[in-house]
């Protein structure tokens, strides 16, 4: 999976400690290719927010006045106009971005200003809604903007940022800092039935991205390739692998409730209910051509001490494939140890690195990373 321009530019414009002035200077160079880069990165924030705003107004768009905050080049304005909203103004600090927004012909008033504690040149209660998509990132809009967002909206109407869908609420609960493995498994008892719907609604692309990469590893040949889907959940990765042609797959998953749903997908042979860690699984050495784990490395789930077992059950020359949120390498203390442990296993002659791929839109626009190692 390629690392597109959007990821490089977004890292630069949001680097830790960047000032508001520095971020705005960066947009002078990025404005011209911003739309292309974000489109290539499957940026769904504007469309998702526009659809939610339409629901807030029960499908009625006539006379609804909206202020698009941190409007950028006008992508959110386009999304709102596409579903029927026609009375839109734009607030954006970057002159270069605002000029491009003007060309889209979706806005009435174009306001070049920063949003913060300053009072905007807008009267109280001017709008039926203020909408901000993507403005709350490092070095951009701060939390002190909320009072001003409220001031310019009339009583009884709406302030909307990028919507937080059900998936995020559940994922926060199941990955909260300090959660134990037992607690996370108990949570899946209540979430299992809605898991597929919630993750699909959140544009969860980890399984598909990983399946396509695995197909390339085997040069498009799927016959006789045996794969163990690790932390299989409800079988979304199994479905993705099946879709690209793999037919000989087993599933390893600790949650009985999730595994029962995986069984219904009819893509697996053996279903193994067990935790992955330092324990020895009921699998013989070298049983598989590949072990594939997508989304298992999150807070309170699979730990770094699982790597040796992932290697043991793969035949020499086979692959270990791990896909996860890229941010977890920095955000979750357990995974600070992951790449050093991978390097140590390489030094011991257990495996050799094949690729380390960062890709966009793993889930809800966040980056994913896929590690591939060949077993020695």
């Amino acid at each position: 999976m390629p690392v597109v321009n959007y990821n490089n530019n977004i890292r630069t414009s949001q680097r830790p400690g960047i000032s508001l002035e520095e971020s705005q200077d960066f947009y002078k160079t990025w404005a011209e290719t911003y739309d292309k880069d974000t489109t290539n990165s499957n940026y769904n924030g504007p469309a998702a927010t526009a659809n939610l705003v339409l629901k807030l107004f029960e499908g009625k768009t006539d006379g609804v006045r909206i202020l698009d905050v941190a409007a950028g080049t006008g992508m959110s304005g386009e999304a709102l106009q596409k579903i029927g909203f026609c009375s839109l103004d734009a607030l954006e600090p970057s002159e270069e971005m605002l000029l491009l927004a003007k060309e889209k012909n979706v806005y009435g008033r174009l306001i070049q200003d920063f949003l913060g504690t300053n009072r905007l040149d807008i009267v109280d209660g001017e709008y039926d809604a203020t909408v901000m998509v993507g403005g709350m990132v490092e070095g951009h809009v701060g939390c002190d903007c909320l009072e001003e967002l409220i001031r310019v909206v009339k009583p009884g109407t709406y302030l909307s940022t990028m919507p937080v869908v059900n998936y995020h609420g559940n994922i926060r609960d199941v990955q909260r800092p300090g959660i134990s493995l037992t607690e996370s498994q108990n949570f899946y008892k209540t979430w299992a039935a809605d898991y597929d719907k919630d993750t699909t609604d959140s544009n969860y692309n980890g399984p598909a991205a990983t399946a396509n990469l695995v197909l390339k590893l085997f040069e498009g040949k799927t016959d006789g390739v045996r794969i163990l889907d690790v932390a299989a959940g409800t079988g979304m990765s199994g479905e993705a692998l099946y879709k690209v042609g793999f037919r000989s797959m087993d599933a390893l998953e600790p949650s009985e409730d999730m595994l029962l749903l995986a069984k219904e997908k009819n893509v697996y042979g053996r279903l193994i209910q067990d935790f992955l860690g330092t324990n020895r699984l009921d699998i013989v050495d070298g049983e598989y051509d590949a072990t594939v784990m997508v989304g298992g490395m999150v807070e309170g789930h699979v730990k770094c001490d699982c790597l040796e077992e992932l290697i043991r059950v793969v035949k020499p020359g086979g692959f270990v494939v791990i896909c996860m949120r890229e941010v977890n390498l920095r955000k979750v203390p357990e995974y600070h140890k992951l790449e050093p442990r991978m390097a140590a296993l390489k030094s011991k002659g257990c495996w050799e690195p094949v690729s380390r791929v960062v890709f966009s839109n793993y889930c809800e626009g966040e980056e994913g990373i896929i590690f591939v190692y060949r077993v020695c």
Side-chain angles (χ1 to χ4, degrees):
M1 295 285 293
V3 180
V4 295
N5 269 346
Y6 176 73
N7 290 333
N8 295 328
N9 286 325
I10 209 69
R11 287 195 192 98
T12 303
S13 70
Q14 299 178 23
R15 71 177 187 272
I18 190 171
S19 69
L20 188 57
E21 290 74 17
E22 288 173 322
S23 69
Q24 293 309 304
D25 283 342
F26 182 78
Y27 284 114
K28 293 177 182 178
T29 62
W30 190 20
E32 195 65 36
T33 60
Y34 181 87
D35 282 14
K36 178 178 180 292
D37 292 347
T38 49
T39 299
N40 288 343
S41 295
N42 299 312
Y43 180 40
N44 298 313
T49 305
N51 288 329
L52 183 142
V53 173
L54 186 63
K55 290 180 182 178
L56 290 176
F57 289 100
E58 299 177 346
K60 300 171 185 176
T61 60
D62 288 347
V64 176
R65 298 207 60 215
I66 296 175
L67 178 65
D68 182 6
V69 178
T73 60
M75 296 183 78
S76 293
E78 283 187 305
L80 287 161
Q81 187 191 62
K82 187 176 181 180
I83 60 175
F85 293 103
C86 296
S87 185
L88 309 170
D89 292 342
L91 173 69
E92 168 59 36
S94 167
E95 180 180 3
E96 288 77 15
M97 301 285 269
L98 202 58
L99 285 171
L100 292 169
K102 181 179 180 180
E103 294 176 3
K104 291 187 166 68
N105 296 313
V106 298
Y107 299 111
R109 188 180 176 197
L110 297 162
I111 308 165
Q112 187 185 347
D113 203 349
F114 291 96
L115 176 68
T117 56
N118 54 302
R119 185 181 177 91
L120 298 168
D121 183 22
I122 301 171
V123 300
D124 294 356
E126 177 79 5
Y127 297 98
D128 297 289
T130 50
V131 174
M132 176 167 56
V133 181
M136 284 189 159
V137 293
E138 183 84 29
H140 290 63
V141 180
C143 298
D144 57 10
C145 74
L146 298 180
E147 288 84 350
E148 190 65 1
L149 286 178
I150 293 168
R151 183 186 67 78
V152 302
V153 175
K154 62 185 65 170
T157 47
Y158 303 98
L159 180 156
S160 175
T161 60
M162 174 68 189
V164 179
V165 296
N166 209 19
Y167 175 73
H168 281 158
N170 285 324
I171 210 68
R172 286 196 191 98
D173 289 340
V174 80
Q175 297 180 27
R176 70 177 187 273
I179 190 172
S180 70
L181 190 57
T182 302
E183 288 173 322
S184 68
Q185 293 310 304
N186 284 337
F187 184 83
Y188 285 115
K189 292 178 181 178
T190 62
W191 191 21
D194 295 322
Y195 182 87
D196 281 15
K197 179 183 182 299
D198 290 348
T199 50
T200 299
D201 288 347
S202 296
N203 299 312
Y204 180 39
N205 297 309
T210 305
N212 288 328
L213 185 146
V214 173
L215 186 63
K216 290 179 182 178
L217 290 176
F218 289 99
E219 300 177 346
K221 301 171 184 176
T222 60
D223 289 347
V225 175
R226 298 209 61 216
I227 296 175
L228 178 65
D229 182 6
V230 178
T234 60
M236 295 184 78
S237 292
E239 283 187 303
L241 288 161
Y242 190 92
K243 188 175 181 179
V244 298
F246 294 102
R247 294 293 182 268
S248 184
M249 294 177 288
D250 294 340
L252 174 69
E253 168 59 36
S255 167
E256 180 181 4
D257 305 86
M258 301 285 269
L259 202 58
L260 285 172
L261 292 169
K263 182 179 180 180
E264 293 176 3
K265 291 188 167 69
N266 296 314
V267 297
Y268 298 111
R270 187 180 176 198
L271 297 162
I272 307 165
Q273 187 184 346
D274 203 350
F275 291 96
L276 175 68
T278 56
N279 54 302
R280 185 181 177 91
L281 299 168
D282 183 23
I283 300 171
V284 299
D285 294 355
E287 177 78 6
Y288 297 99
D289 297 288
T291 49
V292 175
M293 177 166 57
V294 181
M297 285 194 158
V298 293
E299 183 85 31
H301 289 62
V302 180
K303 295 184 177 181
C304 299
D305 60 12
C306 75
L307 298 181
E308 288 84 347
E309 191 65 0
L310 287 178
I311 293 168
R312 182 187 68 79
V313 301
V314 174
K315 62 185 65 171
F319 301 100
V320 175
V321 182
I322 299 171
C323 178
M324 61 189 290
R325 291 174 186 260
E326 193 274 339
V327 71
N328 283 354
L329 294 172
R330 303 181 301 278
K331 182 179 177 182
V332 181
E334 172 66 24
Y335 304 125
H336 296 171
K337 303 178 288 186
L338 181 59
E339 291 190 271
R341 193 178 184 104
M342 288 173 165
L345 290 169
K346 175 185 179 295
S347 297
K348 291 179 181 179
C350 298
W351 61 9
E352 287 292 331
V354 175
S355 61
R356 180 189 189 276
V357 180
V358 177
F359 65 99
S360 60
N361 207 34
Y362 170 86
C363 183
E364 281 295 314
E366 287 191 330
E367 291 181 343
I369 186 167
I370 306 177
F371 296 98
V372 180
Y373 281 82
R374 190 189 304 272
V375 174
C376 296

